């Protein structure tokens, strides 16, 4: 459907759609996502990729957006829109926060800016189609438009300047999935960093009159033609049964790829039942094709491979219960208890999980002994999805756990979470010191 020009152009229509008032309940939802990102970023900054980014100087607001943009996705615990299959938080929130750090007077509009940014990124991401996700890191390619939208809202741009900001951001869309084929690659963090900075820069340029290609989405050499051949650009303007799509974004309780979460939940149900696993000789995971495409790693050799391994994720749970951050590090990979279960895991795609995806992220586990099934459990929706939600209090707790993991005292972590509930300059001071 690309190459078919409409009037007004898609970017113009999207920009107009974003210029709406944001209600109080939705800004409250945005505060939960801010809290979630803070915890993810605090823990991620101390990982190898985060430490390297911190060792290089990136000046100004753009540099701050770039640096903060690297941190939130490192531990694979950031929020996710399951229909767009992307993480909005690590690109949009750093850009908006960096602009507020540069211009503190904008801070009262932070929550509504986050809402606007999520709306733009998710609408585009849901329109891209499976072929795009097969090759492109959608968080990177669609993240910049959300960062630009959030910053445009903070700067009070009108619909035309917002449209130019969005188009300039999309001109820089990037992020190839080849990064996941090399365990040492830190390319995912570069994708999120670039998207945050590109969106911020695009909004600031547009505010000063810099113009972009408004046909960048549907044009014959635009985004859909180049990167999303089976996408449907009209989905960008689709009507939904919620006013703001941030309400349909999921939170991640476990430190692994989202595609592994339903299997973790099913394994946890078996573990908590007290079932004796000693005589089990096969652990069969049934899920949907993308989960297998990204997480079929029976012998992970690095932390990132362990986080993208259904085998390891389920084995950790069956061996000890709820998975923790340290269960995916290099030492844990060699843990004989985890390896013993990991060697018994097989993965297959099947219904109902295959046909329900991506509306639902589900998985089931069956345990076999000498060819006979002896136990099973299913999770139709991963914990943290809107259909199986985490409470605001659980999100606060998750963020505090991550900050404590990063070396922050529990008292200070709770103070930062409280500040994030109603953005004030003290929040920025804390974040600048912490991150």
């Amino acid at each position: 459907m690309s190459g078919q020009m409409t009037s007004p152009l898609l970017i113009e229509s999207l920009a107009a759609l974003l210029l709406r008032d944001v209600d109080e309940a939705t800004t409250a939802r945005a505060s939960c996502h801010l809290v979630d990102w803070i915890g993810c970023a605090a823990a991620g900054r101390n990982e190898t990729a985060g430490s390297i980014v911190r060792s290089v100087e990136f000046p100004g607001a753009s540099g701050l957006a770039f640096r903060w943009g690297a941190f939130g996705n490192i531990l694979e615990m950031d929020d996710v829109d399951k229909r767009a299959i992307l993480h909005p938080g690590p690109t949009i929130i750093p850009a908006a926060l960096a602009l507020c750090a540069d211009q503190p007077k904008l801070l009262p509009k932070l929550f509504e800016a986050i809402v606007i940014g999520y709306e733009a990124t998710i609408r585009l991401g849901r329109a891209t189609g499976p072929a795009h996700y097969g090759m492109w890191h959608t968080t990177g390619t669609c993240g910049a438009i959300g960062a630009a939208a959030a910053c445009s809202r903070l700067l009070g741009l009108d619909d035309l300047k917002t449209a130019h900001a969005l188009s300039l951001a999309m001109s820089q869309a990037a992020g190839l999935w080849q990064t996941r084929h090399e365990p040492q690659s830190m390319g995912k963090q570069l994708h999120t960093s670039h998207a945050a900075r590109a969106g911020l820069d695009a909004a600031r340029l547009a505010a000063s009159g810099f113009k972009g290609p408004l046909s960048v989405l549907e044009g014959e050499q635009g985004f859909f033609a180049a990167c999303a051949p089976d996408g449907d650009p009209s989905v960008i303007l689709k009507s939904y049964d919620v006013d703001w799509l941030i309400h349909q974004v999921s939170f991640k309780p476990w430190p692994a790829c989202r595609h592994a979460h339903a299997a973790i939940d099913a394994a946890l149900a078996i573990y908590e039942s007290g079932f004796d696993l000693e005589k089990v000789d096969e652990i069969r995971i049934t899920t949907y094709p993308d989960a297998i495409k990204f997480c079929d790693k029976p012998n992970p050799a690095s932390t990132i491979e362990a986080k993208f391994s259904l085998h390891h994720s389920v084995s950790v749970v069956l061996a000890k219960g709820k998975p923790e951050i340290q269960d995916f590090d290099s030492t844990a990979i060699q843990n004989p208890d985890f390896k013993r279960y990991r060697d018994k895991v097989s993965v297959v795609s099947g219904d109902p999980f295959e046909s329900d995806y991506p509306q639902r992220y589900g998985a089931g586990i069956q345990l076999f002994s000498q060819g006979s099934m002896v136990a099973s459990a299913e999770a139709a929706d991963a914990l943290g999805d809107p259909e199986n939600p985490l409470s605001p209090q659980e999100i606060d707790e998750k963020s505090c756990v991550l900050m404590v993991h990063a070396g922050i005292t529990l008292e200070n972590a709770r103070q930062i979470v409280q500040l994030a509930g109603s953005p004030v300059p003290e929040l920025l001071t804390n974040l600048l010191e912490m991150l």
Side-chain angles (χ1 to χ4, degrees):
M1 293 182 67
S2 59
Q4 299 178 9
M5 308 295 283
T6 60
S7 182
L9 296 165
L10 279 174
I11 282 279
E12 294 175 307
S13 295
L14 177 59
L17 182 66
L18 298 175
L19 292 181
R20 296 180 281 147
D21 291 334
V22 181
D23 60 279
E24 190 173 327
T26 305
T27 57
R29 172 75 179 204
S31 73
C32 291
H33 289 274
L34 175 60
V35 166
D36 189 70
W37 176 84
I38 290 171
C40 292
R45 73 181 290 277
N46 289 338
E47 298 296 311
T48 302
S51 297
I52 293 172
V53 170
R54 286 191 290 118
S55 72
V56 179
E57 185 177 352
F58 299 101
S62 296
L64 186 59
F66 185 88
R67 187 167 83 246
W68 282 353
F71 299 156
N73 181 247
I74 292 175
L75 288 177
E76 297 292 339
M77 294 194 72
D78 43 336
D79 59 12
V80 58
D81 182 72
K82 61 184 179 179
R83 295 169 182 85
I85 322 180
L86 56 73
H87 306 275
T91 59
I92 294 160
I93 293 175
L97 279 174
L99 186 54
C100 287
D102 186 61
Q103 301 182 48
K105 65 181 181 181
L106 303 178
L107 195 56
K109 297 196 291 185
L110 175 63
F111 286 161
E112 66 180 71
I114 290 172
V115 172
I116 300 303
Y118 274 54
E119 190 76 10
T121 285
I122 294 168
R123 283 182 172 276
L124 177 61
R126 291 184 181 185
T128 56
H132 180 79
Y133 185 65
M135 298 296 292
W136 296 91
H137 181 197
T138 318
T139 300
T141 59
C142 300
I145 199 172
C151 292
S152 295
R153 184 67 163 223
L154 286 171
L155 293 171
L157 303 191
D158 62 23
D159 54 352
L160 182 57
K161 286 189 173 181
T162 297
H164 281 292
L166 303 185
S167 70
L168 290 168
M170 284 313 300
S171 293
Q172 304 173 74
L176 290 167
W177 266 134
Q178 188 62 30
T179 189
R180 73 182 180 87
H181 293 291
E182 299 183 23
Q184 79 280 6
S185 174
M186 301 171 186
K188 284 190 72 188
Q189 277 60 68
L190 182 61
H191 299 167
T192 52
S193 289
H194 169 73
R197 180 170 63 186
L200 174 57
D201 288 347
R204 296 177 84 178
L205 285 166
S208 295
F210 203 88
K211 294 178 171 56
L214 296 180
S215 58
V216 68
L217 293 178
E218 69 269 49
E220 62 183 78
Q221 291 182 296
F223 176 75
F224 280 89
C227 304
D230 63 349
D232 183 356
S234 68
V235 172
I236 293 172
L237 304 177
K238 178 180 176 179
S239 295
Y240 290 96
D241 58 3
V242 292
D243 288 336
W244 296 101
L245 294 179
I246 195 171
H247 291 288
Q248 295 184 340
V249 177
S250 303
F251 294 95
K252 295 172 64 173
W254 316 126
C257 174
R258 187 58 172 177
H259 291 311
H261 278 221
I264 289 173
D265 295 337
L268 192 57
I270 291 175
Y271 176 85
E272 292 177 344
S273 74
F275 184 81
D276 185 1
L277 297 167
E278 287 305 311
K279 294 183 179 180
V280 171
D281 50 38
E282 182 187 356
I283 302 165
R284 184 181 302 167
I285 302 171
T286 304
T287 185
Y288 49 88
D290 270 345
I292 296 173
K293 179 178 181 180
F294 282 84
C295 299
D296 184 9
K297 292 181 172 60
N299 298 298
S302 66
T303 295
I304 192 64
E305 285 195 344
K307 289 175 177 291
F308 278 78
S309 170
L310 284 161
H311 309 69
H312 184 77
S313 299
V314 165
S315 298
V316 166
V317 175
L318 293 178
K320 58 159 286 191
K322 293 181 179 180
E324 300 173 282
I325 296 172
Q326 60 269 24
D327 294 326
F328 295 83
D329 63 23
S330 56
T331 301
I333 293 170
Q334 303 303 321
N335 183 311
D337 289 333
F338 298 165
K339 188 177 186 305
R340 179 163 57 95
Y341 289 122
R342 204 164 60 218
D343 291 342
K344 299 177 182 181
V345 172
S346 61
V347 296
V348 297
S349 178
D351 283 332
F353 315 112
E354 185 171 335
S355 58
D356 285 346
Y357 177 79
Q359 300 302 315
R360 306 179 80 174
Y361 279 31
I365 294 180
Q366 296 175 313
L367 305 183
F368 293 85
S369 177
Q370 297 182 344
S372 299
M373 189 178 72
V374 293
S376 66
E378 292 186 357
D381 299 289
L383 179 61
D385 279 350
E387 299 84 357
N388 187 16
L390 292 174
S391 69
Q393 292 74 28
E394 288 174 314
I395 296 166
D396 290 352
E397 181 181 348
K398 169 194 167 182
S399 185
C400 286
V401 167
L402 288 169
M403 282 189 271
V404 169
H405 176 78
I408 299 162
T409 67
L410 180 58
E411 180 181 0
N412 285 346
R414 286 174 173 164
Q415 180 185 25
I416 291 169
V417 165
Q418 184 176 11
L419 289 172
S422 180
V424 290
E426 289 81 2
L427 173 64
L428 291 174
T429 302
N430 277 272
L431 293 181
L432 287 167
E433 291 177 354
M434 180 174 68
L435 301 177

